[in-house]
Amino acid sequence: MNTASRYAIFATLISDGQKISDGALAIEDDRIRFAGSRDDWLTQSDADQFPEHPVPLGSILIPGLIDLHNHGALGADFANPEHGQVSDALDYLHRAGTTTLLASLVTAEPAEMLRAAEILAEFAEAGKIAGIHAEGPFLSEARCGAQDPRFLRDPDPEFIDELISASRGQLRTMTYAPERPGSEELIEQLVALGVVPSLGHTNASAQVTATSLQFAREQLQNAGVDGFTEKPTVTHLFNGMPSLHHRKPGPVAACLEEAARGNAYLELIADDVHLSPETVRLVFNLIGGHRVVLVSDSMSATGLSDGQYTLGPAKVTVSDGQARLADGSLAGGTATLLEVLRCTVSAGIALTRAVESATSIPASLIGLADEVGSLHYGFCADVVVLDAQLELHQVIRNGQVL
């Protein structure tokens, strides 16, 4: 482990859609001091005070990855958190390149969701996670996926207040189904509380979906909170919603169209299980990478072998790396975000575009665009060092080599 408070790394830099082949990244304590070309760095008056941190020839430096949809890893289920297990899971995820993440809840008994939010809030306040994502409970029974239908219900303002209180203000995003009565009031309440609405697990028509995304966009724009996103998100596009049909286009068509118009961002679980490479490529090429967010949707089996696991109240069987319920429904993912990034590149997406969708774009959605997600002067020194085949070599978080 490099214990120096100052060091420089010479490698290819990829950040914000740009690539510097002969690059230099200088780190001082927990911040980036310089990011640019090697020649420009060497002209700095104090460059000789930053010892070189060796990396393999041909290395690529990208910002630390940011996962907005993550249910756990290494046996830890964030919907049923135990302190020691969560600590181990976060250590694993950080070392796997996901230096910033939201811990995702699933639909469960209200008291269980509140308990989980209370525990996860401690990790957010300690800087281990960037906040909490609530996937439910205001979702569609018809498209519940791994969400327990016993606990799904219409939007409840009182429960939202309780969840905000339990999370001590650390709730960042919430997935909702727009067809449920009270969804517009829910959006207004979430935005007023600084929470990003994320449409998903829905059986809504294309019209209902489009109207909801447009309404959410208007509410976010009117909120005028500094650093706060002006666009809602869509929770794992294609998954948890009816398939696109030429006579009943449904939510998929509306989400694609609204994203193309600049009214929404789309999550993709591009792990070769939830989506085919052709589908991933289609979305990037249709709407452009600037409105795509790569997520893992990882669950407790991530980092472990096949077997029996849980996702909130649900029992999950993992076989050949695929997490499924007894009825065959997918129940989260088992890939890390770095593995999702590699699958996205293998699907034919340029590395520069894929990196944006796993770093700077998600950072902007949770108000961290000036802190993480980019290799820029003054930003947090979160860096992933890859080899030429995009295999992980090293992770730096807050300036420290993990």
Side-chain angles (χ1 to χ4, degrees):
M1 179 175 176
N2 193 327
T3 59
S5 60
R6 286 180 164 185
Y7 57 96
I9 309 174
F10 301 108
T12 295
L13 307 186
I14 292 179
S15 177
D16 299 290
Q18 303 297 315
K19 176 180 178 180
I20 301 175
S21 297
D22 191 15
L25 184 74
I27 293 174
E28 185 169 18
D29 298 324
D30 64 344
R31 295 285 146 177
I32 294 174
R33 169 70 180 276
F34 177 92
S37 73
R38 181 187 184 111
D39 289 344
D40 286 346
W41 167 244
L42 294 177
T43 65
Q44 302 291 311
S45 60
D46 59 349
D48 60 351
Q49 297 178 28
F50 287 72
E52 181 177 353
H53 178 77
V55 295
L57 187 66
S59 290
I60 300 169
L61 308 184
I62 66 173
L65 303 178
I66 300 174
D67 196 351
L68 302 188
H69 193 149
N70 190 304
H71 293 284
L74 217 65
D77 181 358
F78 293 154
N80 187 25
E82 301 298 336
H83 286 85
Q85 287 186 327
V86 171
S87 293
D88 291 344
L90 294 176
D91 182 64
Y92 168 81
L93 290 167
H94 292 162
R95 291 175 182 274
T98 303
T99 54
T100 300
L101 69 141
L102 298 185
S104 298
L105 306 177
V106 295
T107 301
E109 189 175 2
E112 288 302 309
M113 293 188 72
L114 296 176
R115 172 189 171 273
E118 289 177 350
I119 293 173
L120 294 173
E122 298 175 26
F123 289 91
E125 291 170 345
K128 298 295 185 180
I129 61 175
I132 300 167
H133 159 228
E135 192 173 13
F138 312 130
L139 309 175
S140 165
E141 287 92 345
R143 300 293 170 180
C144 59
Q147 307 286 328
D148 195 322
R150 294 176 299 167
F151 304 115
L152 295 174
R153 53 195 172 117
D154 292 337
D156 177 358
E158 184 177 345
F159 179 72
I160 292 297
D161 287 339
E162 291 175 346
L163 190 60
I164 291 290
S165 177
S167 67
R168 297 196 288 280
Q170 298 295 334
L171 184 66
R172 298 286 176 258
T173 65
M174 171 173 265
T175 304
Y176 74 98
E179 67 269 34
R180 298 210 75 123
S183 64
E184 286 198 349
E185 291 80 4
L186 171 66
I187 290 169
E188 291 175 329
Q189 183 180 14
L190 291 176
V191 172
L193 294 168
V195 180
V196 179
S198 186
L199 184 148
H201 282 284
T202 175
N203 203 39
S205 67
Q207 182 177 355
V208 168
T209 300
T211 299
S212 184
L213 289 173
Q214 291 164 10
F215 181 77
R217 166 98 190 256
E218 291 171 1
Q219 295 302 308
L220 288 163
Q221 285 182 316
N222 294 337
V225 180
D226 186 38
F228 196 60
T229 179
E230 292 185 351
K231 300 179 182 69
T233 63
V234 173
T235 297
H236 47 52
L237 181 69
F238 297 104
N239 300 115
M241 55 186 70
S243 299
L244 180 67
H245 189 277
H246 57 286
R247 288 192 300 273
K248 293 183 179 179
V252 171
C255 291
L256 287 169
E257 187 172 18
E258 292 306 313
R261 289 175 173 172
N263 289 332
Y265 285 87
L266 308 177
E267 287 184 2
L268 294 183
I269 313 173
D271 59 359
D272 285 353
V273 175
H274 287 79
L275 301 173
S276 74
E278 293 84 0
T279 300
V280 172
R281 191 167 59 249
L282 173 69
V283 174
F284 269 87
N285 290 337
L286 274 178
I287 69 167
H290 295 298
R291 297 187 186 97
V292 176
V293 181
L294 295 176
V295 297
S296 71
D297 197 16
S298 75
M299 46 82 70
S300 58
T302 304
L304 299 175
S305 58
D306 290 351
Q308 303 299 313
Y309 296 92
T310 62
L311 180 61
K315 294 181 179 179
V316 179
T317 298
V318 177
S319 178
D320 294 328
Q322 297 186 19
R324 295 185 182 272
L325 302 180
D327 66 2
S329 299
L330 285 170
T334 61
T336 65
L337 191 54
L338 178 56
E339 290 169 328
V340 169
L341 177 71
R342 282 200 292 265
C343 288
T344 303
V345 174
S346 295
I349 306 305
L351 179 59
T352 51
R353 297 176 73 194
V355 168
E356 279 187 292
S357 291
T359 57
S360 58
I361 293 172
S364 71
L365 294 178
I366 54 173
L368 297 178
D370 295 328
E371 182 71 13
V372 295
S374 299
L375 301 180
H376 286 315
Y377 172 83
F379 275 55
C380 187
D382 291 350
V383 186
V384 177
V385 184
L386 305 174
D387 66 17
Q389 287 72 46
L390 306 186
E391 294 295 330
L392 182 62
H393 172 70
Q394 200 168 70
V395 176
I396 298 166
R397 187 171 189 268
N398 293 326
Q400 296 296 312
V401 178
L402 301 184

